[in-house]
Amino acid sequence: MLLVTGGAGFIGSNVVAALNEAGRSDVVVCDLLGSDGKWRNLAKRQLVDIVPPAELEDWLKGRKLDAMIHLGAISETTATDGDLVIETNFRLSMRLLDWCTANAVPFTYASSAATYGDGTDGFDDDASLPALKKLRPMNLYGWSKHLFDLTVAQRVANGDRLPPQWAGLKFFNVFGPNEYHKGSMMSVLARRFDDVKAGRVVQLFKSHREGIEDGDQRRDFIYVDDVVRVVMWLLATPSVSGLFNVGTGKARSFKDLMLAAYAALGKRPNIEYIDMPEAIRGSYQYFTQSKVDRLHRAGYNGGFTTLEDAVKAYVGDYLDRPDRFR
C-alpha cells in the first residue's frame, strides 16, 4: 500500500489521482474531510481507506507500506495557534519520519518555499545545516516546516539512520484543480476566475516599492501537474534523496497570471490596482524564484509547464466547466 497524508487536500488529492491513473488502487489517505465539501477532491478516486490523523499512529502498527507521501499540514500562512501548528506540522512529522526509518519505508514530505522568509538570502535549496540556519521564515507555518528541515539535516550531518529514501519538497506557488476548499489561501486565479469570466473588474495590488510597477510583484507559479510529476518521479527513483525546490525557476507577475486567464477565455482585460493593506506592506514578498539545479542534477528531466499553457489547461479543463474537480 501507499499512504498519502493530506490526501484529500489540494496537492495530495492530485497525487492520489495520479497514483490511480498509474494503476495503483492500493492507496490509503490520511486526512479530515470536514464539512466544507473537501470530499469532492476524492470523489473520483479508488481508495483502500481514509484514516483520520488522530488514528494514524495506531493504524500504522504492524502495517507494511511501499512508501509514505507526507503532505498533511496546517498550511495557512496566517495560522496563529503555535502549539497546534507545531504538533501537526513538526511533531507528527517527526513521528512519521521515525516510523519510516524503523520500518525502512521511503518517505517524501512537503516542505515549503515559506521557509525562505523574505528571500533576502535567496532561494537556494542547499540542505546543509549552515545554509538552513541562515533562513528566517516570516510566519508560523514557514517556521514549522523549517524546523523539520533542520531536524532532517541534522540527522544527515550526524550520519543517523534515515528511511531508505527521503525527500523534502519545497513547493513554491502551486495552483490548479482541487484547491477550492482553501478559501483565502486559493490561488489568485481560482479566487478571481468568476470575475474574469463575467467581465467584472479584477483587483490587484499596487506596488509600494520603487522600480516595480503595479501588478508586477512576482512569484514562481507552478502548475500542480508539474508538482505531481516530481512526486511520481521520486517514487520511481528510490536512489534519490535530498531537499529540493519544486518550482519552475522562472518568476512571473500577478498581472501575467491574470492576463493569461483573460486570454484563455478570449476576454478583454479589466484590471484595476488597489492599495496594499498597510498591515502587510512591511512583510509582503515582491519576488520569489526557485533554483531547481539540484532537482535537475538528481536526474529529473520532466520539465515545467509555461504559465500561459498552465492557465489555459486549468481554465479549459477545470475552471470553465460545471465539474471543476480532478
Side-chain angles (χ1 to χ4, degrees):
M1 289 188 294
L2 286 161
L3 174 67
V4 183
T5 74
F10 168 36
I11 297 174
S13 63
N14 278 276
V15 169
V16 171
L19 289 169
N20 273 184
E21 289 162 7
R24 297 294 301 248
S25 58
D26 54 344
V27 179
V28 177
V29 162
C30 173
D31 212 331
L32 292 172
L33 299 182
S35 56
D36 61 357
K38 196 161 75 167
W39 67 273
R40 294 187 184 279
N41 287 349
L42 294 173
K44 301 170 186 175
R45 309 277 70 89
Q46 184 175 359
L47 304 168
V48 174
D49 201 355
I50 300 177
V51 183
E55 298 177 20
L56 180 59
E57 288 171 83
D58 283 338
W59 183 90
L60 282 170
K61 291 175 181 175
R63 299 277 179 179
K64 292 183 178 180
L65 296 176
D66 289 339
M68 183 185 297
I69 304 167
H70 178 41
L71 306 176
I74 294 172
S75 59
E76 289 81 4
T77 56
T78 54
T80 57
D81 188 333
D83 297 314
L84 181 61
V85 169
I86 287 301
E87 175 60 33
T88 304
N89 292 4
F90 176 66
R91 297 190 72 229
L92 175 58
S93 297
M94 288 299 305
R95 295 193 293 273
L96 296 180
L97 175 66
D98 289 342
W99 186 91
C100 287
T101 300
N103 291 276
V105 171
F107 180 72
T108 297
Y109 73 92
S111 181
S112 172
T115 58
Y116 290 116
D118 65 4
T120 300
D121 291 308
F123 302 94
D124 187 349
D125 50 359
D126 184 342
S128 68
L129 277 171
L132 289 174
K133 286 179 178 178
K134 291 179 183 177
L135 302 181
R136 295 291 180 266
M138 297 170 70
N139 53 58
L140 177 60
Y141 162 69
W143 175 61
S144 69
K145 291 294 187 180
H146 180 55
L147 199 58
F148 187 66
D149 289 341
L150 280 168
T151 305
V152 175
Q154 185 69 65
R155 292 191 180 189
V156 172
N158 292 347
D160 295 339
R161 282 187 66 207
L162 283 164
Q165 179 189 30
W166 65 272
L169 303 179
K170 291 199 173 195
F171 297 131
F172 276 68
N173 286 71
V174 188
F175 69 101
N178 294 10
E179 61 173 318
Y180 321 117
H181 63 284
K182 292 169 65 69
S184 64
M185 300 303 295
M186 277 193 297
S187 68
V188 173
L189 175 55
R191 292 202 313 271
R192 298 290 178 255
F193 176 76
D194 290 338
D195 292 331
V196 171
K197 186 174 180 181
R200 295 187 290 266
V201 67
V202 170
Q203 295 179 331
L204 297 177
F205 286 145
K206 290 180 180 178
S207 170
H208 295 272
R209 185 172 293 181
E210 191 175 341
I212 297 177
E213 295 181 1
D214 294 341
D216 199 37
Q217 303 93 333
R218 296 183 177 229
R219 296 286 184 274
D220 192 334
F221 297 108
I222 180 168
Y223 196 42
V224 71
D225 283 8
D226 294 342
V227 168
V228 170
R229 272 196 293 273
V230 173
V231 173
M232 297 294 284
W233 172 75
L234 284 165
L235 285 173
T237 318
S239 60
V240 171
S241 291
L243 184 64
F244 302 105
N245 282 335
V246 181
T248 66
K250 186 171 184 180
R252 298 292 301 274
S253 71
F254 284 99
K255 182 179 179 181
D256 289 339
L257 181 71
M258 298 317 300
L259 289 178
Y262 282 107
L265 287 169
K267 299 271 188 179
R268 177 181 294 179
N270 185 13
I271 299 172
E272 73 174 21
Y273 299 97
I274 61 172
D275 285 329
M276 189 181 297
E278 296 226 15
I280 66 171
R281 283 187 201 178
S283 60
Y284 188 81
Q285 280 185 303
Y286 274 73
F287 182 85
T288 65
Q289 181 171 281
S290 64
K291 287 186 68 174
V292 291
D293 309 57
R294 282 187 175 81
L295 189 62
H296 292 316
R297 286 200 301 269
Y300 183 73
N301 59 6
F304 301 105
T305 312
T306 66
L307 180 69
E308 286 74 16
D309 286 346
V311 170
K312 183 177 180 181
Y314 190 13
V315 169
D317 296 341
Y318 300 101
L319 289 176
D320 199 29
R321 290 176 178 253
D323 180 1
R324 292 182 172 183
F325 292 87
R326 179 173 181 182

